[in-house]
Amino acid sequence: MSRPEPHIDVRPIAEADLPDWIRALNTGFLRTPDVAETEIADRGSYLVPARTLGAFDAGRCVATFRSFAQEITAVGGAPVPADAISNVTVTPTHRRRGLLTRMMAQDLAAAKERGDVVATLIAAEYPIYGRYGFGPATWTTQWTIDVPRTGLDPRWAGPEDGGRIDIVDGADVRKIGPELFERVRRAQPGAVDRDERWWLVNTGVLRLDRSPWTEPFFAVYRSAGGEVQGLVSYTADDHWSEGKKQPLNTASVKWLIAATPDAERALWRYLCSIDWVMTVKSGWRAPDDLLPFFLPDPRAAGVTSQADWLWVRILDVVRALEARTYEGQGALVIEVVDAGGLTGGRYRLEASAEGSSCTPTKDAAELTLDVADLGRLWLGDESVVRLVALGRVREERAGAAREADALLRTSRRPWCPDVF
C-alpha cells in the first residue's frame, strides 16, 4: 500500500532543477548518477519544463516524469494527437508513497485539458500502468535468422524486380529517411512520429554520453523507377570459429522501414547475402511481420523474444473511436469504466466502411469494460471475445463480443517501430 506524503512537492521543474532531475532519473534507471554537462545541455534542448515533473523532498528530486506532444496513427491512417509519457522513475528510498500516482494524475489531467485523444507509453514493467487506465495496444517480436538454413541462393546479387540496393551514409539517410518514414507511418496503425532529433541521434550527428555510438551501415532500396522505398540500419560484429577457420559474424538490425513488400523482401535478402554473415538479428518487428515467409525455409527465422510494446490510455472515447476506420458494419453500446474520472460513461458506436459516429447514450449497455481494455482494443489488435473469456470485459448481451470483434479487429496487426 502506498502512503501519501503531501509534504513532498510534485511540480514542473525549473531550469535550475535540471541537474538534480537528471540525477534522479539516472538513479531510477540504475545508471551512474553522475550528471555530465553535455547531458544537461542535451536534455535542456528538448525538455518542455511545464511537462517535465519532479517530486521534491526537502529540495531534493526523488521522482521524475516527462511527457511530450506526439502523433499516433489510428486504424485507417488518421493522425491522432497523443500525450507521450517517458522518463518515469521513483528513487528507491521513496517507493510506495504515491508519487507516480500524483505525477500521472497531474499529467493526464493536463493532457485532457489540451485536447489530446490518447496517452501513450512504453512500459518498462507490465504491472504498473494498468491501474492508470493504460492497456497494451501493440506487441513486438524479434527474430534471429540462421542464414545457412534459409534456403536462399548465396549467389544472390540484387533484387530481381528491377530495383537496386545501395550503401549510403548518414547524410543521405537524413535527406531521404524522413519522407519515407512519413509514408510508412501513415499506413501503419500504432506508428508514432519521428522528429528531427530522432534522425540526428540515429545517424550519429548527435551523440549521447548515455548511449555509446557505433557507426552503423545504412542501405537503401530504390524501385525500378528510382523511388526510395526502403531503408535499413545495421551493425556487424567480428566473430570467427576457433583457429579463424570460418566466419561466424552476426548482422544486427537497428531499424528497417519499408513502404512496400518488395522493398522489405529485398532488404532482408540483402542482409542474408552479406559475406561472412551467418546470423541476422531482426531487431524489434511487428508480431505478424512478413520476414519469416520471405525465406524459403521460414523456420530459419526463430522467435527470440516477444513482448508488449506500446500502451494506450484513452482520454476521449468519442474522438478516439471516431478517428479510426472500421472494416465491418454495425452498432454497439459500450459502458466504459474509468476510475481516473477522465472519460467514463456509456457510448453508442455506429460504424461502417463509410464512416462512424460515437455519442453518449442512455441505452442499455451491450458490453462493459475498463478504459484500459478499450486502450487494448483501440488499434485493432486485441479480441473482445478473448477479454470476455479472461473476465476483463463483461458481455451484457449475448453475441455482443463477436459483433464487437467484427467491427474493431484489423486484418494486419498494429505496430509501433519506436521506443520513447
Side-chain angles (χ1 to χ4, degrees):
M1 296 291 291
S2 62
R3 44 188 177 94
E5 298 191 27
H7 71 275
I8 298 178
D9 186 20
V10 172
R11 59 172 173 80
I13 67 170
E15 183 178 353
D17 296 319
L18 186 55
D20 193 31
W21 188 89
I22 295 172
R23 178 199 52 76
L25 177 70
N26 290 343
T27 298
F29 284 138
L30 298 180
R31 297 193 290 251
T32 175
D34 292 343
V35 180
E37 290 297 326
T38 52
E39 183 167 13
I40 295 172
D42 173 56
R43 291 197 183 274
S45 70
Y46 66 85
L47 293 182
V48 179
R51 299 181 65 166
T52 305
L53 304 179
F56 294 85
D57 186 358
R60 185 176 179 84
C61 189
V62 295
T64 64
F65 189 108
R66 176 175 78 93
S67 71
F68 58 95
Q70 185 183 74
E71 277 190 355
I72 180 172
T73 303
V75 177
V80 171
D83 177 53
I85 293 169
S86 186
N87 295 153
V88 178
T89 73
V90 177
T91 300
T93 54
H94 285 69
R95 296 176 65 249
R96 312 304 299 164
R97 303 192 191 188
L99 299 182
L100 174 54
T101 298
R102 292 170 62 188
M103 293 188 295
M104 183 68 76
Q106 186 170 325
D107 181 80
L108 293 180
K112 176 78 173 180
E113 180 69 21
R114 276 194 307 271
D116 291 333
V117 176
V118 299
T120 61
L121 55 82
I122 308 291
E125 297 181 61
Y126 193 99
I128 295 174
Y129 293 100
R131 65 180 184 264
Y132 302 117
F134 289 83
T138 78
W139 291 68
T140 190
T141 304
Q142 288 183 304
W143 282 270
T144 297
I145 304 171
D146 182 353
V147 172
R149 186 181 170 183
T150 60
L152 293 170
D153 185 348
R155 298 168 298 177
W156 184 83
E160 296 87 359
D161 59 4
R164 61 177 291 155
I165 293 175
D166 295 295
I167 296 290
V168 294
D169 61 20
D172 295 316
V173 171
R174 291 189 295 278
K175 292 176 184 176
I176 63 180
E179 189 277 331
L180 172 64
F181 181 73
E182 280 301 296
R183 277 190 281 143
V184 171
R185 86 167 178 104
R186 286 196 296 267
Q188 178 59 65
V192 299
D193 58 323
R194 292 176 178 175
D195 61 13
E196 181 184 10
R197 185 175 186 277
W198 190 96
W199 295 99
L200 294 176
V201 170
N202 284 274
T203 57
V205 173
L206 181 56
R207 303 191 182 189
L208 310 177
D209 293 340
R210 60 187 180 273
S211 303
W213 175 255
T214 298
E215 185 74 20
F217 303 96
F218 300 105
V220 58
Y221 168 86
R222 291 182 174 88
S223 68
E227 182 185 29
V228 173
Q229 293 186 343
L231 272 172
V232 63
S233 170
Y234 65 96
T235 59
D237 64 10
D238 183 18
H239 180 55
W240 291 68
S241 64
E242 187 176 354
K244 208 173 176 67
K245 296 178 181 178
Q246 182 178 349
L248 300 173
N249 294 3
T250 295
S252 297
V253 173
K254 295 171 69 69
W255 50 266
L256 184 153
I257 53 174
T260 66
D262 285 343
E264 195 173 350
R265 178 187 293 108
L267 289 173
W268 287 119
R269 290 205 63 177
Y270 161 74
L271 291 163
C272 290
S273 74
I274 300 171
D275 286 341
W276 296 2
V277 168
M278 297 292 109
T279 303
V280 174
K281 293 187 175 181
S282 72
W284 297 109
R285 305 295 302 164
D288 63 345
D289 201 89
L290 299 175
L291 165 59
F293 302 100
F294 287 142
L295 310 176
D297 184 351
R299 292 184 183 179
V303 172
T304 48
S305 65
Q306 181 164 298
D308 57 281
W309 198 243
L310 184 77
W311 289 54
V312 167
R313 206 278 188 210
I314 304 294
L315 298 173
D316 187 325
V317 171
V318 170
R319 292 172 64 203
L321 292 181
E322 289 185 344
R324 57 159 291 173
T325 59
Y326 299 85
E327 296 183 8
Q329 179 172 338
L332 190 69
V333 177
I334 59 172
E335 179 86 30
V336 179
V337 178
D338 186 354
L342 294 171
T343 194
R346 191 174 299 170
Y347 303 88
R348 179 177 182 84
L349 171 66
E350 297 185 13
S352 70
E354 284 70 46
S356 65
S357 67
C358 181
T359 55
T361 183
K362 294 183 179 179
D363 294 346
E366 296 168 298
L367 292 171
T368 299
L369 71 166
D370 189 83
V371 68
D373 292 306
L374 185 60
R376 289 173 179 255
L377 295 164
W378 180 59
L379 288 172
D381 195 43
E382 186 55 270
S383 159
V384 180
V385 171
R386 274 168 42 105
L387 294 180
V388 169
L390 290 167
R392 300 190 64 94
V393 172
R394 188 167 70 246
E395 190 177 45
E396 310 290 3
R397 176 179 62 78
R402 291 189 179 279
E403 293 173 20
D405 276 349
L407 279 180
L408 296 170
R409 300 204 76 181
T410 55
S411 54
R412 289 292 303 271
R413 298 182 70 176
W415 177 48
C416 178
D418 291 299
V419 62
F420 53 89

